Amino acid sequence: MSTRRPAPLAQVSDFEIRLLKLFRSVVECGGFSAAESVLGIGRSAISQQMSDLEQRLGLRLCQRGRAGFALTEEGREVYQSTQQLLAALESFRTEVNGLHQNLRGELNIGLTDNLVTVPHMRITHALARLKERGPEVRIHIRMTPPSEVEQGVLDGRLHIGVVPQAGALSGLDYQSLYDERSLLYCAVGHPLFYVDDQQLAEDRLDAQDAIAPTFRLPPEIQRHYQRLNCTASASDREGMAFLILTGRYIGYLPDHYAAAWVQQGRLRALKAASRYYDLSLASVTRKGRRPHLVLESFLEALAATG
């Protein structure tokens, strides 16, 4: 007896949207059990609703059982489509609310890690102004590598991002916010920690195990890493800090981020007068975006804090 696959969805009802929101929460929590407290329902109810969604889509979305939770290939694609659908719905709702000239809706922001220690605090102050003007605005911040921030803005999952400026991608607008200085650090326990800069030969410094970032950087900054003996890599500055603090690697970190460890005597800068670079951080938004009152208000607040 042959089995016939369900026909493709002719429409997406409110019920399917509720199921897709549940599916998104399960994926982002990493499984049914972890999603219970977030969704406020039990595992059996989550399982039943996931089964309902799979039946309506005619697709197996995930594997669950003793081996744990894992998305199928179809599940990963449905998850990406779900992100785009829900972002589009929220954008529509925000635009309609904007017709009333009231700040309501969501602001989805993607940030490169460890910007909270930047002394200028422009993002923090702009968020405070936005919340003051629109108390009902819901702010969601995602800390992800720069490439994921830019992709999120491009596909509409994020309204705005803040990334190191390493060359503009097509379809995005960049606005410089501030510069940060990065110094070359080692941690206590590293052979160079107690070596005076005057006695530290350049070739000895360049021979140490070092860390390279995997995110995009301008060519003039990449040259600082090319002269080092990079035997490890990290997708973000926190990952670089983890490796430097082992006392086995040297690497560049923003001085504002490293300051607390320097004060504790756990990090020291190596040849700070010559081994440094300045990097511009920029806000990034999508070109040709639809009117979005919450986003425009945030951008105005950012400009006002300059």
Side-chain angles (χ1 to χ4, degrees):
M1 179 178 178
S2 62
T3 58
R4 190 159 60 91
R5 195 171 180 142
L9 285 176
Q11 62 182 8
V12 179
S13 69
D14 289 343
F15 184 65
E16 275 93 15
I17 290 173
R18 288 197 296 272
L19 292 178
L20 288 171
K21 287 182 177 180
L22 176 136
F23 171 56
R24 180 180 65 177
S25 295
V26 169
V27 173
E28 293 180 350
C29 289
F32 292 7
S33 297
E36 286 182 302
S37 60
V38 173
L39 295 171
I41 57 177
R43 183 173 178 176
S44 60
I46 295 173
S47 179
Q48 180 59 55
Q49 292 184 52
M50 280 292 297
S51 297
D52 289 344
L53 178 61
E54 289 177 325
Q55 184 176 358
R56 286 173 176 271
L57 297 179
L59 298 170
R60 182 72 169 174
L61 300 180
C62 62
Q63 305 292 341
R64 55 265 205 190
R66 293 183 178 179
F69 174 85
L71 286 177
T72 63
E73 185 62 33
E74 292 85 357
R76 283 190 287 271
E77 293 186 20
V78 170
Y79 174 67
Q80 292 299 323
S81 297
T82 297
Q83 292 281 70
Q84 294 174 22
L85 171 64
L86 297 180
L89 288 172
E90 178 56 34
S91 178
F92 171 79
R93 186 168 68 85
T94 301
E95 289 173 24
V96 171
N97 287 338
L99 296 175
H100 301 285
Q101 294 300 303
N102 291 324
L103 278 183
R104 292 184 301 224
E106 296 183 348
L107 182 67
N108 299 320
I109 309 174
L111 298 179
T112 299
D113 65 317
N114 300 309
L115 293 181
V116 72
T117 51
V118 174
H120 308 297
M121 298 290 283
R122 289 187 62 182
I123 299 170
T124 302
H125 294 326
L127 289 173
R129 291 191 181 195
L130 176 65
K131 192 63 176 174
E132 181 180 359
R133 181 180 171 189
E136 296 182 24
V137 170
R138 296 185 302 280
I139 298 169
H140 305 289
I141 294 179
R142 294 187 182 181
M143 307 297 294
T144 59
S147 61
E148 294 182 20
V149 172
E150 290 171 313
Q151 185 57 49
V153 175
L154 277 172
D155 63 27
R157 288 181 291 114
L158 298 173
H159 298 122
I160 185 171
V162 178
V163 296
Q165 197 160 3
L169 295 183
S170 176
L172 295 178
D173 281 323
Y174 296 81
Q175 183 65 46
S176 181
L177 293 177
Y178 36 58
D179 293 335
E180 65 176 14
R181 173 158 294 189
S182 289
L183 303 176
L184 186 61
Y185 291 94
C186 72
V188 63
H190 191 277
L192 300 184
F193 191 79
Y194 294 109
V195 178
D196 186 86
D197 279 350
Q198 298 297 325
Q199 300 174 350
L200 181 54
E202 297 288 345
D203 57 352
R204 184 183 179 190
L205 184 58
D206 293 336
Q208 304 298 313
D209 285 330
I211 310 152
T214 58
F215 50 86
R216 293 189 310 129
L217 288 170
E220 63 272 16
I221 291 179
Q222 292 177 13
R223 287 193 284 270
H224 288 270
Y225 291 95
Q226 290 167 357
R227 68 182 295 184
L228 297 176
N229 178 35
C230 293
T231 59
S233 65
S235 64
D236 49 53
R237 283 99 68 92
E238 186 170 4
M240 299 180 77
F242 267 112
L243 289 171
I244 295 170
L245 288 165
T246 65
R248 298 296 182 267
Y249 297 90
I250 62 173
Y252 284 96
L253 291 175
D255 56 4
H256 61 84
Y257 178 44
W261 288 307
V262 171
Q263 292 173 2
Q264 295 167 12
R266 298 180 63 189
L267 288 182
R268 65 157 290 203
L270 300 166
K271 289 187 173 290
S274 58
R275 293 298 184 106
Y276 69 88
Y277 62 79
D278 295 320
L279 179 63
S280 178
L281 292 160
S283 65
V284 55
T285 54
R286 187 171 58 181
K287 289 182 178 178
R289 62 185 183 273
R290 295 179 179 180
H292 189 296
L293 188 60
V294 174
L295 174 58
E296 302 310 322
S297 298
F298 179 66
L299 290 173
E300 289 175 9
L302 265 182
T305 61

